[in-house]
Amino acid sequence: MVDFIMQPWPWWFSGILVGLTVPLLYFLTGQGFGISTSLQQIGAMCSPGSKLSYFSKFDKRTGMWTVMFALGIVIGGFIATRYLSAQSIEFLPESYLSLGGAVRLLAGGILIGFGTRYAGGCTSGHAITGIANLNWPSLVATIFFFVGGLGVTWGLGRFIF
Amino acid sequence: MTIKTKTTDNNDAAPANRESASKQKSISALALTMSLLVGVYFGIVLTKSEVVRWQRVHDMFMFRELHMYLIIGVGIGVAMVSMLLIKSMQVKTIEGEPIVYQPKPFHKGVVIGGTMFGAGWAITGACPGPIYAQIGGGAWMALVTLAGALLGMFLYANVKSKLPF
């Protein structure tokens, strides 16, 4: 049992727990599962009095839950790495721990921030919660997540990885 | 206390859905605390499932292993059954509020933004959740990914009105 927890978790166990996040969050907080909205919340909090409707029309008080959720994920990552893992976890490959790696991460990060906000969600809000609720635009979004990911991996990837 | 929200991105997609600043409803301290706790749970799941590793994401896009596809697939299935149960049993939140899914609308950004995000996911090996989990796990380079994501969000906020919608 302890060994099961300390090793990387199998797909079926992980999948069930990922899926349960949706009802857990609805039941305990009343909020729909989604993570990229936290970026908008941080933007709105950093820009008080902004004339941009993206920030001024955003409900920052309710949006606070997204930052709390994100903070929780940071703490969860710490607990899992420090206390629940038998071996150390290689988050990023060696090649990313360099100046070139930092440039790639920054560029990729910009694509994530811009893309998720433009699409209105990421893997959690669109792929998992959206498809689970049979929301067809979320299925379209998920298909294009893979169009972008496969396009980079099989196309440009040869130059960047 | 009420926690009816329109936090999602759809806010700006459909002007009719916009909640005016004057009508903002507050969120309870209990809901905020629970958000933190569910975040801790999800952060542990993301890390222990190895969804947070660049290599796993790369192997998914290379079709080398099914790990990620299976996790996302099972996750969708479990979430779908949960939603059916919530609807049929009319489950309420712990604060007695009805549970309502807010559909995300279709627009051109779903395609263009979706493709951009997918590209970023492949390059950084992280979607937004894993960025936070990587930082917590001590992968300091993920702070660069987060900085990029915030930069991308600010960029979007500034050019939003000029983008095809």
Side-chain angles (χ1 to χ4, degrees), chain A residues 36-143:
Chain A
S36 61
T37 310
S38 62
L39 298 172
Q40 184 181 10
Q41 169 71 15
I42 295 171
M45 284 164 65
C46 294
S47 326
S50 170
K51 290 204 173 61
L52 295 169
S53 67
Y54 191 67
F55 295 143
S56 61
K57 293 272 167 63
F58 184 70
D59 179 356
K60 280 185 286 245
R61 265 197 282 168
T62 304
M64 246 341 262
W65 85 268
T66 63
V67 172
M68 297 298 283
F69 188 52
L71 202 63
I73 296 175
V74 174
I75 298 169
F78 174 79
I79 294 173
T81 309
R82 191 78 187 269
Y83 303 107
L84 300 174
S85 297
Q87 310 92 353
S88 67
I89 301 165
E90 189 201 48
F91 290 95
L92 290 161
E94 287 281 328
S95 64
Y96 272 75
L97 311 176
S98 60
L99 182 65
V103 172
R104 276 175 280 171
L105 292 176
L106 188 72
I110 292 173
L111 286 167
I112 293 173
F114 195 103
T116 55
R117 299 329 302 145
Y118 195 11
C122 59
T123 328
S124 52
H126 267 315
I128 294 174
T129 318
I131 296 178
N133 281 285
L134 307 176
N135 184 49
W136 68 266
S138 292
L139 179 62
V140 176
T142 307
I143 291 169

Side-chain angles (χ1 to χ4, degrees), chain A residues 17 62 84 96 117-118 154, chain B residues 5 9 41 48 61 123 132 164:
Chain A
L17 296 188
T62 304
L84 300 174
Y96 272 75
R117 299 329 302 145
Y118 195 11
W154 292 87
Chain B
T5 51
D9 339 59
Y41 162 86
K48 289 305 299 176
F61 284 126
I123 295 169
Y132 295 121

Side-chain angles (χ1 to χ4, degrees), chain B residues 31-96:
Chain B
L32 288 176
T33 311
M34 288 301 171
S35 301
L36 183 80
L37 292 179
V38 180
V40 173
Y41 162 86
F42 189 59
I44 292 174
V45 174
L46 280 178
T47 309
K48 289 305 299 176
S49 63
E50 301 212 315
V51 167
V52 293
R53 292 185 57 205
W54 183 91
Q55 195 62 49
R56 289 287 196 185
V57 176
H58 190 61
D59 289 344
M60 165 182 76
F61 284 126
M62 290 297 285
F63 300 118
R64 279 193 201 129
E65 61 173 29
L66 289 174
H67 187 77
M68 293 281 296
Y69 293 105
L70 290 166
I71 290 177
I72 297 171
V74 171
I76 293 171
V78 169
M80 200 179 286
V81 172
S82 307
M83 290 314 296
L84 288 173
L85 287 173
I86 285 175
K87 276 171 205 159
S88 67
M89 295 167 69
Q90 297 187 319
V91 178
K92 297 244 159 65
T93 70
I94 46 171
E95 296 184 286

Side-chain angles (χ1 to χ4, degrees), chain B residues 106-133:
Chain B
F106 181 80
H107 54 85
K108 294 191 185 85
V110 169
V111 172
I112 307 167
T115 307
M116 290 174 75
F117 161 55
W121 188 12
I123 295 169
T124 64
C127 37
I131 298 176
Y132 295 121

